[in-house]
């Protein structure tokens, strides 16, 4: 256990994105209840994920972290979970096939309910009301009553995470993820695109390879052909929720955050002397930290020292989100400082959060080209530094939304109104996500040529 740490030691530190419950006693009762409920993950799973991420840190595997910006309590259904898992599996297959490396799949699912906001209040019809902060805290409806923070939502977050986690496990271990079924992951609206057709060609090659192995006497009916792992992750923003789900592992006697396999700390809450890093330093899960263009190289090294003093590969992922314009100038000094300090991190590119802007139509959006430009800049910076560009972190949905501009369908500003459904940030739709996976796969192949 880290010196001076306990699951509630964060309470003595200043917290960005503070949560002021209208009735603190109510919140305390909910925390007590959550502390009595079973953990959502087992510590041994988090250790396995750390080991997989350790391979990424050493350049032997690639990380795909993907899912919604903000999950919704209302949208959770078997179909939605299945479709998200399908697109994540498709993207991972493309990356595995193209690069010949294992792909570690981490979903932004089963707990991604808390959102940091630049402004904690907003003006609606001349009245200042609290901003929407994710379904774990309040509702997106635009009245002061709906925006009041409600601790009971933490119970709903726990239950919805539990149901989602359960079905992800069932799909990935119960036969749905069998490599013989790769064709069935291609959704109708994706299949007709260039990326969808390219995917069909990859799937046909995999079919042939499986038939070949079977003919050679290999048993392709069981694992590793039939099973895979899709790990869960979310931003550890609401510490009132994370604290009661922090448990001591019976095997190692070490504390783990048991709300998800991997937790990350966002750009707005990564202060070195703040509550969120204090919480994160003491749990033994793999941890991610978002690193934006304002982070100084020295701060990033300090972050590594605080979160990974033993320099365990796989423990810490630095999820850089510089923006397409700044990646070339701002990423290299960060890479150099971390490398000089000998910290074994997983380098991940979040090409979404540095590239958001407001369309003339009033919707928040991102350009597919900017997203890819940032990834290209990330690869170039790592190639120049001799470090491994370990993975990508993207906001996507399997649904046919129109939230990001560009891609092979060439969505324009006027298309945004057609199907804009995000609770928070604009997501790639299923076609754009698959197209991006192909482009990244090509980039990896080209850069290792
Ligand atoms: C997010 O990942 O949804 C997010 C808010 O990112 P960041 O902390 O990088 O802004
Ligand atoms: Co987001």
């Amino acid at each position: 256990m880290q010196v001076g740490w306990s699951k509630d030691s964060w309470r003595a530190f200043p917290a960005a994105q503070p949560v002021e419950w209208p009735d603190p006693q109510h919140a305390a009762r909910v925390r007590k209840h959550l502390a009595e409920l079973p953990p959502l993950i087992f510590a041994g799973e988090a250790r396995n994920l750390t080991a997989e991420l350790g391979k990424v840190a050493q350049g032997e595997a690639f990380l795909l972290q993907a899912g919604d910006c903000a999950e919704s309590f209302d949208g959770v259904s078997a179909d939605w979970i299945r479709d998200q898992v399908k697109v994540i599996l498709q993207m991972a297959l493309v990356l595995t096939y193209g690069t010949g490396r294992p792909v570690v799949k981490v979903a932004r699912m089963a707990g991604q309910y808390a959102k940091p906001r630049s402004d904690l209040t907003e003006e609606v019809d001349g009245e200042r009301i609290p901003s929407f902060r994710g379904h774990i805290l309040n509702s997106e409806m635009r009245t002061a009553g709906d925006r009041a923070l409600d601790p009971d939502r933490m119970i709903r977050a726990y239950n919805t995470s539990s149901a989602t986690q359960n079905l992800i496990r069932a799909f990935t271990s119960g036969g749905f993820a069998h490599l013989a079924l790769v064709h069935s992951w291609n959704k109708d609206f994706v299949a007709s695109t260039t990326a969808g057709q390219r995917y069909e060609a990859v799937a046909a090659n995999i079919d042939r390879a499986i038939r070949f192995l079977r003919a050679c006497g290999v048993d392709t009916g069981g694992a590793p052909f039939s099973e895979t792992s899709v790990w869960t992750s979310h931003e550890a923003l609401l510490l009132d929720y994370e604290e009661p789900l922090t448990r001591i592992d019976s095997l190692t006697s070490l504390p783990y955050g048991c709300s998800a396999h991997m937790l990350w700390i966002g750009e707005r809450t990564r202060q070195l002397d703040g509550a969120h890093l204090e919480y994160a330093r003491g749990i033994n899960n793999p941890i991610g930290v978002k690193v934006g263009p304002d982070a100084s190289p020295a701060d990033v090294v300090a972050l590594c020292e605080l979160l990974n003093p033993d320099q365990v590969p796989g423990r810490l992922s630095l999820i850089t989100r510089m923006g397409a314009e700044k990646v070339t100038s701002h990423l290299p000094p960060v890479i150099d400082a971390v490398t000089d300090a000998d910290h074994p991190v997983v380098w991940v590119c979040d090409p979404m959060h540095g590239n958001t802007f407001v369309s003339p139509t009033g919707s928040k959006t991102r350009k597919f080209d900017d997203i890819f430009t940032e990834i290209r800049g990330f690869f170039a910076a790592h190639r120049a530094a001799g470090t491994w560009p370990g993975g990508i972190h993207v906001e996507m949905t399997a649904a046919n939304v129109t939230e990001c501009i560009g891609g092979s369908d060439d969505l324009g500003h006027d298309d945004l109104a057609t199907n804009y459904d995000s609770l928070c940030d604009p997501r790639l739709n299923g076609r754009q996500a698959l197209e991006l996976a192909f482009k990244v796969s090509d980039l990896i192949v080209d850069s290792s040529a």
Side-chain angles (χ1 to χ4, degrees):
M1 188 105 75
Q2 300 290 336
V3 181
W5 185 91
S6 61
K7 66 181 179 176
D8 63 355
S9 55
W10 62 271
R11 291 184 181 276
F13 292 75
Q17 302 280 316
V19 174
E20 277 156 32
W21 300 109
D23 176 357
Q25 294 308 319
H26 184 178
R29 282 194 301 277
V30 170
R31 282 201 302 273
K32 184 165 180 300
H33 181 42
L34 283 171
E36 287 158 359
L37 292 169
L40 293 173
I41 61 117
F42 166 54
E45 294 178 298
R47 276 194 291 282
N48 291 342
L49 176 56
T50 302
E52 286 196 12
L53 290 170
K55 298 216 172 79
V56 180
Q58 281 152 351
E60 292 160 19
F62 194 74
L63 166 67
L64 171 65
Q65 189 168 19
D68 255 312
C69 176
E71 285 179 284
S72 160
F73 287 168
D74 309 318
V76 177
S77 66
D79 286 357
W80 174 77
I81 298 167
R82 187 198 54 222
D83 288 348
Q84 285 296 84
V85 170
K86 263 188 192 176
V87 176
I88 292 172
L89 291 176
Q90 272 191 295
M91 293 175 81
L93 186 83
V94 165
L95 289 162
T96 314
Y97 188 82
T99 67
R101 284 188 168 87
V103 174
V104 182
K105 299 170 278 296
V106 180
R108 286 176 64 118
M109 282 176 88
Q112 177 52 18
Y113 297 116
K115 295 311 300 173
R117 302 312 304 258
S118 315
D119 224 330
L120 292 182
T121 60
E122 70 173 311
E123 191 153 314
V124 173
D125 301 333
E127 194 195 349
R128 276 224 85 78
I129 65 170
S131 298
F132 171 55
R133 296 177 69 180
H135 274 173
I136 198 168
L137 279 166
N138 61 6
S139 156
E140 73 277 22
M141 305 306 274
R142 293 158 66 84
T143 71
D146 286 307
R147 294 285 171 86
L149 306 187
D150 176 2
D152 285 338
R153 285 178 167 269
M154 292 196 284
I155 302 288
R156 189 136 177 233
Y158 171 89
N159 289 330
T160 317
S161 298
S162 168
T164 307
Q165 174 80 255
N166 181 51
L167 207 51
I168 295 175
R169 282 187 213 281
F171 281 142
T172 48
S173 63
F176 179 83
H178 197 295
L179 281 178
L181 297 179
V182 286
H183 289 284
S184 70
W185 305 339
N186 213 353
K187 286 183 36 118
D188 295 344
F189 89 95
V190 178
S192 57
T193 60
T194 317
Q197 283 157 11
R198 206 174 152 192
Y199 176 82
E200 278 303 314
V202 169
N205 284 343
I206 289 171
D207 276 348
R208 261 196 298 282
I210 290 181
R211 280 200 301 275
F212 170 74
L213 290 173
R214 216 179 285 139
C216 295
V218 176
D219 173 12
T220 61
F225 296 91
S226 62
E227 289 180 19
T228 190
S229 297
V230 173
W231 310 97
T232 58
S233 70
H234 62 256
E235 178 173 348
L237 179 62
L238 182 58
L239 299 178
D240 267 318
Y241 177 75
E242 304 302 337
E243 178 192 311
L245 286 169
T246 307
R247 306 296 165 83
I248 301 296
D249 171 33
S250 54
L251 298 179
T252 59
S253 303
L254 292 171
Y256 281 82
C258 291
S259 62
H261 298 113
M262 176 180 184
L263 295 169
W264 79 83
I265 304 298
E267 169 71 359
R268 292 168 191 74
T269 50
R270 61 168 166 73
Q271 299 76 15
L272 284 164
D273 54 356
H276 291 81
L277 285 194
E278 169 58 19
Y279 173 73
R281 84 180 169 97
I283 55 169
N284 286 271
N285 309 56
I287 298 290
V289 182
K290 295 291 198 85
V291 176
D294 297 335
S296 75
D299 279 356
V300 179
V301 171
L303 238 159
C304 296
E305 272 153 19
L306 183 71
L307 291 174
N308 194 13
D310 299 332
Q311 307 193 340
V312 177
R315 153 74 174 168
L316 181 61
S317 298
L318 293 179
I319 308 168
T320 60
R321 27 92 82 221
M322 302 293 180
E325 275 177 19
K326 294 186 177 162
V327 65
T328 316
S329 53
H330 287 59
L331 183 55
V334 172
I335 298 176
D336 290 346
V338 172
T339 307
D340 287 348
D342 278 338
H343 270 284
V345 301
V346 176
W347 291 105
V348 188
C349 176
D350 165 357
M352 315 297 293
H353 290 88
N355 294 310
T356 317
F357 66 99
V358 179
S359 158
T361 61
S363 313
K364 267 206 274 183
T365 190
R366 292 161 175 156
K367 288 187 186 154
F368 185 90
D369 284 350
D370 291 345
I371 291 169
F372 186 61
T373 302
E374 177 156 359
I375 297 178
R376 214 174 31 217
F378 168 85
F379 271 77
H382 284 288
R383 192 162 52 239
T387 40
W388 171 238
I392 55 169
H393 177 122
V394 293
E395 289 184 341
M396 47 65 70
T397 170
N400 194 7
V401 298
T402 53
E403 297 171 3
C404 290
I405 286 176
S408 58
D409 286 347
D410 207 15
L411 292 180
H413 290 278
D414 292 338
D415 297 311
L416 294 178
T418 312
N419 193 12
Y420 198 105
D421 194 34
S422 181
L423 277 179
C424 195
D425 290 338
R427 303 157 296 176
L428 297 170
N429 64 30
R431 302 181 203 215
Q432 291 169 324
L434 190 61
E435 189 182 343
L436 188 71
F438 272 112
K439 289 180 84 93
V440 172
S441 162
D442 291 343
L443 204 55
I444 301 174
V445 173
D446 290 349
S447 52
S448 42

